[in-house]
Amino acid sequence: MIQLHTPKASRNQETGRLSFMGSVSPAGVRFRDRGGEGDGTSRRVPGTFSVVPAPMMQTVRRCLLVTSATLASLALTAPVSLAAPSPSPSPAASGSPAASGSPSAAASKPASPSASSSVAPPAGMSSVGGTRLGQAGTQVAIAGGAPVLPKDLTARSWIVADAESGDVLAAHNAHWRLPPASTMKMLFADTVLPRFPKATVHKVAPTDLAGMGSGSSLVGIKEGESYTVHDLWLGVFLRSGNDAVHVLSAMNGGVTETVRQMNEHAEELQALDTHVVSPDGYDAPRQVSSAYDLTLFARSGLQKADFREYCSTVTAKFPGETKKNKKGKTTRGTFEIQNTNRLLSGDYDISQYPGIAGVKNGNTTNAGATFTGVAERNGKVLLVTVMNPEKTDHNEVYKETAALLDWGFQAAGKVTPVGELVAPKNTAQASAQPGANPSSSEGSGQAGGAGDVSAKPVAGAVTEDGSGGMWIALAVAGGLLVLLAGGGYLVNRRWPLPDLVRRRR
């Protein structure tokens, strides 16, 4: 029996707010004895990268309301001559994906993914989520009263985003393709977690543990022992156990098949900077991701109750090895495992971050320290990803994350977003299809309703004396109102996370 250190009432429950997207997934070892630091997937040696250095929403909503009122007035009073032009709202007014920086042909995934070993980001980064996110350096639009960004940020890449609205408040080289380390396990979990009920029991075969990299972080899985899927996911999230990842991959058809599914899922999430080679995030040639993509993985994973439970669990009991006692009776004990996310569990030089609720950390030779965290304060939920700080101080990745979270909570509503976290392909396509907008459904039962400016009955309504011009004006205005309502729906649409689960000691 696994004992979680958390109130029973809060376990794995979908409570409060609804999910922002439908699922796009198919239906006692001491840490320092394993090599590595943090939750490293390989031994910690000197890294290969040596140097690295709301008002907006309210304004758009007000503009929509003012424009709608103006058009309504115009429709009732304008001469026929003003009714002739067809509506042509700008992308910004209609809330179209193009206006918000959705992927375009120019932002497609490069054919040959590779990690940049230079000290500067490449010139041609992706512009998924907005053109500014594809630019090198720090991107932020400080407005009146907004705090300045924290000093002494040394990460090669980072991003601060509103987890619910998707607004990117600030970013630094957001699309720089870098080794992800164990933060790649967020994509692994988002892909594989829905495939197996947590009560499923699996007996570990020797082949299940084959192929793990030297110095991998381990939770302590033993060949011939049986574990529940629940046990294995605790091992993945708390101890970043590559052994648990490989066992789950074996259950899922093998590492090769799991990697294929992960790459497919990354593409569905529009995480086009990502190329998966190893499901556990172990350093491998051509394995890359970005701060932007890691944030997409976290945002998608947090829609799943089990994902939220595991990534926010601080400590748990993990099954040990089956042994015989002095009386010859077979027994199997447990040992405690602790989450290596130091903003969740704390450490001697850093405290638990107020409101923290996950997500995942990592550390390898090539990647350095990486981390994605989610925290909530006063109803605002922020996601921050930090990749490879130049400073090598103990827990530096968490200290920079905490500083960015503090800034984000203070700056929310006082900065103009520099981009957005895009929706998965299926969600974006559903929003773009005719009839997907609830605002356009009213009155659609009648042919030639006001929502369809091209309907033949409206064109045929013109009479010889020209009195039909007023009807054209009304039709045009109605069409504009529907489009603006659609824009208002897209602008006002929030993708709320379910209530975050916190597993505290």
Side-chain angles (χ1 to χ4, degrees), residues 67-80 82-83 468-481:
T67 307
S68 299
T70 302
L71 286 170
S73 175
L74 177 63
L76 295 175
T77 61
V80 174
L82 296 179
M470 181 62 68
W471 294 106
I472 295 177
L474 287 171
V476 171
L480 278 170
L481 288 172

Side-chain angles (χ1 to χ4, degrees), residues 152-155 386 389 391 396-405:
D152 301 326
L153 294 175
T154 66
V386 173
K391 289 177 66 176
E396 180 63 25
V397 72
Y398 303 110
K399 294 173 184 177
E400 295 194 17
T401 299
L404 286 169
L405 282 168

Side-chain angles (χ1 to χ4, degrees), residues 10 90 158 160 170 192 209 297 307 342 353 386 414 438 445 480:
S10 67
S90 66
W158 54 259
V160 182
V192 178
L209 300 174
F297 301 152
F307 188 104
R342 299 309 180 198
Y353 188 83
V386 173
K414 301 176 183 177
L480 278 170

Side-chain angles (χ1 to χ4, degrees), residues 247-412:
V247 172
L248 286 164
S249 296
M251 295 173 62
N252 191 48
V255 168
T256 301
E257 172 61 16
T258 299
V259 167
R260 184 195 67 78
Q261 293 173 9
M262 290 172 66
N263 279 314
E264 186 178 78
H265 188 48
E267 185 175 354
E268 170 60 31
L269 294 176
Q270 304 201 61
L272 306 183
D273 300 324
T274 297
H275 180 70
V276 185
V277 176
S278 175
D280 51 23
Y282 190 90
D283 287 338
R286 291 165 48 86
Q287 177 150 278
V288 290
S289 190
S290 67
Y292 184 88
D293 284 10
L294 294 175
T295 307
L296 291 182
F297 301 152
R299 193 184 190 209
S300 178
L302 288 166
Q303 299 307 307
K304 299 172 176 63
D306 289 345
F307 188 104
R308 296 195 305 276
E309 174 188 345
Y310 296 130
C311 79
S312 58
T313 298
V314 180
T315 61
K317 297 294 184 180
F318 195 81
E321 191 173 0
T322 300
K323 298 179 179 179
K324 288 186 177 181
N325 59 21
K326 295 180 179 180
K327 297 181 179 180
K329 184 178 179 180
T330 300
T331 61
R332 189 182 188 187
T334 62
F335 58 90
E336 184 174 276
I337 57 176
Q338 184 183 60
N339 202 313
T340 53
N341 172 357
R342 299 309 180 198
L343 290 189
L344 191 68
S345 62
D347 204 355
Y348 69 85
D349 61 344
I350 192 168
S351 301
Q352 286 182 334
Y353 188 83
I356 193 71
V359 175
K360 190 71 189 76
N361 54 332
N363 197 324
T364 65
T365 301
N366 288 343
T370 61
F371 179 63
T372 297
V374 63
E376 183 176 8
R377 185 180 300 173
N378 298 325
K380 179 69 67 176
V381 184
L382 297 182
L383 277 164
V384 169
T385 296
V386 173
M387 300 186 76
N388 196 358
E390 179 187 35
K391 289 177 66 176
T392 58
D393 293 0
H394 188 250
N395 287 327
E396 180 63 25
V397 72
Y398 303 110
K399 294 173 184 177
E400 295 194 17
T401 299
L404 286 169
L405 282 168
D406 286 343
W407 175 86
F409 286 122
Q410 295 172 22

